[in-house]
Amino acid sequence: MNTSAFRVVVLAACLGSVPLVAGTLQDQAPVAPGPQTLAARLDAVRTTADLPAIAGVSFRSDSVLEVTARGVRRLGEPVEVTTGDLWHIGSITKSFTSALIGKFVERQELTWTMTLGDVFGARAGKFAPVTLVDLLSHRAGLPANLTGLLNAEALPTATPSVTDQRRKIVDLVLAGDPGSKPGERYLYSNLGYVIAGALLEEKTGRAWEDLVRAEIIAPLKLSSVGFGAPGAPGSLLQPRGHRQPAAAGAKLMPMEPPLADNPPFLGPAGTMHMTVGDLARWGQEHLRGERGVDGLLRAATFRRLHAPPRSDATYALGWVVRREGDRRTIWHNGSNTL
């Protein structure tokens, strides 16, 4: 596979998913943006999908080609989005959590084969044999979410801190029965990443949010990153998420923060927001790692994060991998359901 040239397109929208796509291209020459400007291409997507707004950036591992934002921050209001606005990235947050674990593996404070039993002891129950690779590749046999297990809306008042909430969730979930043997079956699980965050908290005594800030956000100078729905109630300084009502033909409903997001305990699985520029820098860091350049992590660690655990698998560690001939694409999308 020729990996001499890379191009990435990142799209973020107030409605629908936010994809981060990193593709390897075969040509040696610089990659041109194409016959249409990025703005024109995003206008077409926005019209077809009927989105309030969309933003995007096209870049290589060493440079940004185009960045643009189109649409309005809130339906019914004339305030337009900008390239400096904050966009919720949903499950792309998982790639930050897996990279964070990669940092601790490099320091030999964790290993990829370490099990939940090694960390949580008897609390791990029947999930004791699950390894970190199983957890991050969605092969731990865990349920997708807390549906039917716990009233998630009651958690903020049931326990005093988000770390305590995650500890409570670990005990609740690991007391159940696995849906499959460790490593055997792919079952996408937000809870798996919540447990990964709780595992780091167990090992360090620090909240996942603080660890991400110190170990990833600060070193890469991703100054726009935050957690939860961007913006503040009653202010249109940031884009709004919009919900699609169930009734046929009903109009999109703008949602006010902080209610426009999932509960904070889901942080390691998907509560981050940032500008598309900072999201592009995150993509560039991974592309440079693919090219053998050490950075936030060693190049070998980046490649480990991008490698599915089995030859027949397409999900790696916080990334999805697609192969078309000799072209390999790594990507992830994210949504907080708005």
Side-chain angles (χ1 to χ4, degrees), residues 22-310:
T24 60
L25 304 180
Q26 292 184 307
D27 56 309
Q28 301 286 341
V31 182
Q36 282 188 312
T37 65
L38 181 61
R41 293 158 66 190
L42 295 190
D43 277 337
V45 173
R46 181 182 172 228
T47 299
T48 301
D50 194 22
L51 301 174
I54 187 169
V57 55
S58 176
F59 58 89
R60 294 166 59 93
S61 58
D62 59 357
S63 61
V64 172
L65 303 177
E66 294 181 87
V67 58
T68 190
R70 315 291 288 179
V72 294
R73 289 176 176 167
R74 187 182 195 274
L75 280 180
E77 300 286 348
V79 183
E80 295 184 349
V81 292
T82 73
T83 56
D85 280 357
L86 303 174
W87 305 82
H88 198 289
I89 68 166
S91 285
I92 297 174
T93 305
K94 290 179 172 68
S95 64
F96 285 78
T97 299
S98 63
L100 185 58
I101 285 181
K103 293 271 283 185
F104 282 87
V105 171
E106 288 185 346
R107 294 174 188 157
Q108 299 183 353
E109 296 178 41
L110 296 173
T111 67
W112 295 120
T113 57
M114 181 174 284
T115 67
L116 295 186
D118 293 333
V119 178
F120 296 116
R123 294 168 58 204
K126 296 179 182 178
F127 291 91
V130 170
T131 67
L132 279 178
V133 168
D134 294 333
L135 205 60
L136 299 179
S137 62
H138 301 291
R139 291 180 176 274
L142 288 159
N145 294 296
L146 282 176
T147 305
L149 297 176
L150 181 69
N151 181 2
E153 295 178 354
L155 270 178
T157 57
T159 52
S161 72
V162 70
T163 54
D164 287 337
Q165 291 173 27
R166 291 187 191 119
R167 184 180 176 86
K168 181 176 181 180
I169 288 167
V170 167
D171 290 340
L172 177 73
V173 174
L174 298 187
D177 294 320
S180 62
K181 293 181 180 179
E184 182 179 83
R185 182 179 166 202
Y186 172 79
L187 297 169
Y188 191 89
S189 174
N190 287 315
L191 291 179
Y193 273 77
V194 172
I195 291 172
L199 181 150
L200 288 168
E201 292 170 343
E202 185 85 9
K203 293 289 289 186
T204 66
R206 300 172 64 189
W208 169 85
E209 289 83 356
D210 294 336
L211 291 170
V212 170
R213 289 188 186 100
E215 301 282 356
I216 296 179
I217 296 170
L220 294 182
K221 297 181 171 60
L222 305 179
S223 59
S224 71
V225 172
F227 304 92
S235 167
L236 266 185
L237 294 178
Q238 297 299 336
R240 289 288 179 268
H242 290 68
R243 187 173 301 285
Q244 178 67 64
K251 293 183 178 181
L252 293 173
M253 296 173 53
M255 304 296 292
E256 290 293 308
L259 300 178
D261 197 17
N262 293 309
F265 72 79
L266 278 171
T271 65
M272 293 175 72
H273 65 248
M274 64 190 70
T275 63
V276 289
D278 275 352
L279 187 56
R281 281 189 281 277
W282 181 237
Q284 287 175 312
E285 187 73 11
H286 283 265
L287 287 175
R288 286 190 286 268
E290 276 288 315
R291 299 187 71 166
V293 178
D294 292 341
L296 178 77
L297 301 167
R298 299 169 192 155
T301 303
F302 278 118
R303 289 169 174 164
R304 183 69 187 85
L305 296 176
H306 305 158
R310 293 169 33 161

